[in-house]
DNA sequence: CACCAGGCAAGCC
DNA sequence: GGCTTGCATGGT
């Protein structure tokens, strides 16, 4: 099996894949993580100071994984810049191995529509069922995995099909988004080139996409790092530690303070606050 | 049994 | 603009 070796500097597998940004990566008992993206299935394993990507050829790496894993970015500089106070130092120290994955646009859009008023384990279940039912099979270690389905494939589904996967009331949003994407009305290249505010206005026209889902899609798939997605956890931490008492205040404060690094700061805070809550229960 | 989960749209003011 | 309510489903 072909493997590719990369630097593990500022790159921790658990931080990156369990920080809540993605829904299709799973830890094995040995600490490795496997997942599917870009129509490719791989396993990642730490080896000393390196990370080894299994089932990854040199061309797979250059064409896809280098960008997906955001390996050309200097996270040291980002962490120094966002560590502006004790809370941020704590959060950065806790999740210092997070990298913001550059996920595929359509998958991210559909996954975050599913995420609304839902729990992370359930989001993962529904997305996995969607892939198993309608995605192309991909092999890893003799196992069959499934790629995220294309817009064209999902555009042929009805509300009842999404409902059957456990999507609940989000079924009509998913139908609408899949059909828009299949029509070519949502061009990720064009959206990525647009200024953040314009891209937001464009995405928010989709039923089922509000402020938070919109910001997550733009941050986690199109590299709009100047956004500070504000969910229930970020609302909590911004109220507790930055005296920003409402969702709108939390978002505008976060973006004012962290600027072009808002998305990184948000993810350190989210991971730190949510994991600490789990630990204290 | 309630209550919550990486929210949102619609209706109201 | 901001505030309230209903919403499918599964877990605690």
């Amino acid at each position: 099996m072909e493997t590719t070796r990369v630097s593990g500097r500022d790159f921790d597998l658990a931080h990156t894949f369990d920080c809540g940004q993605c829904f299709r990566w799973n830890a094995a008992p040995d600490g490795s993580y496997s997942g599917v993206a870009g129509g490719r299935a791989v396993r990642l394993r730490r080896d000393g100071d390196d990370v080894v990507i299994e089932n990854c050829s040199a061309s797979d790496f250059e064409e896809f994984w280098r960008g997906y894993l955001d390996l050309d970015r200097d996270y040291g500089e980002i962490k120094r810049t966002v560590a502006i106070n004790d809370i941020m130092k704590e959060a950065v120290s806790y999740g210092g191995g997070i990298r913001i994955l550059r996920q595929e646009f359509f998958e991210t859009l559909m996954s975050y529509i599913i995420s609304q008023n839902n729990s992370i384990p359930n989001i993962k279940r529904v997305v996995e069922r969607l892939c198993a039912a309608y995605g192309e099979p991909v092999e890893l270690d003799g196992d069959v995995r499934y790629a995220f389905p294309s817009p064209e494939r999902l555009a042929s589904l009805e509300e009842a099909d999404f409902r059957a996967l456990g999507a609940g009331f989000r079924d009509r949003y998913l139908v609408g988004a899949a059909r828009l994407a299949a029509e070519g009305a949502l061009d990720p290249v064009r959206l990525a080139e647009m200024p953040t505010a314009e891209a937001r206005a464009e995405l928010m026209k989709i039923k089922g996409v509000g402020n938070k889902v919109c910001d997550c899609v733009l941050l986690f798939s199109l590299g709009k790092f100047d956004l500070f997605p504000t969910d229930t956890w970020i609302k909590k931490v911004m109220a507790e530690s930055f005296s920003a008492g409402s969702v709108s205040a939390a978002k505008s404060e976060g973006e004012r303070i962290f600027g072009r690094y808002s998305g990184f700061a948000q993810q350190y805070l989210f991971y730190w606050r949510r994991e600490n809550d789990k630990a204290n229960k």
Side-chain angles (χ1 to χ4, degrees):
Chain A
M1 184 176 53
E2 291 187 89
T3 65
T4 300
R5 179 175 292 266
V6 302
S7 166
R9 183 181 175 78
D10 300 323
F11 185 14
D12 181 276
L13 299 179
H15 294 178
T16 296
F17 295 120
D18 289 333
C19 74
Q21 62 177 323
C22 55
F23 303 107
R24 294 212 67 210
W25 289 89
N26 295 107
D30 66 1
S32 68
Y33 280 76
S34 66
V36 187
R40 301 159 168 92
V42 295
R43 180 177 300 280
L44 278 72
R45 191 185 301 284
R46 175 154 285 267
D47 180 22
D49 290 338
D50 297 339
V51 167
V52 174
I53 312 174
E54 299 177 355
N55 201 33
C56 172
S57 68
S59 64
D60 282 333
F61 177 73
E62 292 304 328
E63 286 164 20
F64 185 75
W65 294 109
R66 179 192 287 281
Y68 181 89
L69 299 169
D70 202 25
L71 292 173
D72 292 328
R73 194 176 310 280
D74 179 2
Y75 278 74
E77 200 262 327
I78 292 169
K79 290 190 279 187
R80 288 190 295 276
T81 306
V82 303
I84 54 162
N85 59 20
D86 288 347
I87 295 294
M88 286 306 301
K89 282 175 188 161
E90 175 100 15
V92 165
S93 162
Y94 184 84
I98 292 175
R99 308 189 78 84
I100 303 282
L101 301 171
R102 195 176 194 90
Q103 304 180 61
E104 290 154 286
F105 173 77
F106 181 60
E107 172 173 347
T108 310
L109 174 63
M110 298 295 273
S111 300
Y112 275 93
I113 288 175
I114 292 167
S115 82
Q116 66 180 85
N117 203 42
N118 212 340
S119 67
I120 289 179
N122 202 45
I123 298 161
K124 292 178 77 168
R125 264 195 301 275
V126 174
V127 173
E128 200 56 45
R129 285 187 209 128
L130 178 64
C131 295
Y134 303 106
E136 296 296 323
V138 194
E139 197 221 301
L140 177 67
D141 297 339
D143 281 348
V144 183
R145 308 294 177 102
Y146 295 91
F148 195 88
S150 68
E152 293 70 28
R153 184 73 186 90
L154 295 188
S156 70
L157 302 193
E158 308 287 340
E159 291 182 10
D161 299 318
F162 287 108
R163 190 64 77 96
L165 301 169
F169 65 89
R170 312 160 191 85
D171 55 357
R172 61 196 171 98
Y173 305 147
L174 295 167
V175 167
R179 294 185 182 173
L180 278 176
E183 288 165 11
L186 307 172
D187 178 4
V189 176
R190 192 175 64 85
L191 286 165
E193 288 169 349
M194 290 169 64
T196 298
E198 289 176 33
R200 287 190 94 246
E202 196 69 27
L203 268 195
M204 298 258 297
K205 292 179 187 166
I206 304 169
K207 291 293 179 195
V209 177
N211 284 300
K212 190 270 175 181
V213 168
C214 175
D215 287 358
C216 284
V217 173
L218 292 175
L219 170 60
F220 297 134
S221 77
L222 300 185
K224 300 292 189 189
F225 302 115
D226 51 342
L227 289 169
F228 193 78
T230 303
D231 73 319
T232 54
W233 293 107
I234 291 295
K235 179 177 186 293
K236 271 182 207 173
V237 76
M238 291 303 284
E240 293 161 355
S241 307
F242 291 83
S243 48
S246 67
V247 170
S248 60
K251 175 173 166 60
S252 56
E253 256 310 87
E255 289 171 1
R256 183 187 69 77
I257 295 170
F258 299 110
R260 69 194 176 109
Y261 288 158
S262 294
F264 302 98
Q266 188 271 5
Q267 203 55 29
Y268 293 124
L269 281 172
F270 175 86
Y271 182 56
W272 171 73
R273 184 64 180 78
R274 181 165 176 270
E275 293 297 316
N276 274 287
D277 201 76
K278 280 190 210 166
N280 293 332
K281 261 201 241 174

